[in-house]
């Protein structure tokens, strides 16, 4: 199965927050999934890691 990625814009829409909030969580929360740079100017998050993080947050 091919890996799926989400942009900061996708994540912001998914959670109803701003893109800046997504980046702030990335900067300030160690447990937040790490972004990967696919090419210059193209940074994304692995969707599988985002979903695992969401499950962990829901279980807590």
């Amino acid at each position: 199965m091919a890996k799926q990625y989400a942009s900061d814009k996708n994540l912001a829409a998914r959670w109803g927050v701003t893109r800046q909030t997504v980046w702030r969580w990335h900067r300030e929360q160690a447990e937040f999934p790490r972004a990967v740079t696919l090419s210059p100017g193209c940074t994304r998050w692995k969707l599988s890691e985002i979903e695992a993080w969401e499950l962990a947050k829901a279980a807590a």
Side-chain angles (χ1 to χ4, degrees):
M1 179 192 277
K3 290 182 182 175
Q4 294 181 335
Y5 295 92
S7 67
D8 56 351
K9 192 174 186 177
N10 298 136
L11 296 178
R14 181 181 185 118
W15 298 319
V17 297
T18 65
R19 292 172 58 203
Q20 291 82 1
T21 298
V22 173
W23 283 106
R24 181 170 39 84
W25 291 345
H26 181 264
R27 223 180 23 255
E28 297 175 359
Q29 296 182 18
E31 70 278 359
F32 192 77
R34 300 291 92 196
V36 293
T37 302
L38 301 177
S39 65
C42 182
T43 303
R44 301 288 186 264
W45 283 262
K46 291 180 185 174
L47 195 52
S48 60
E49 292 180 6
I50 291 297
E51 290 169 344
W53 178 77
E54 289 173 335
L55 287 173
K57 287 297 230 184

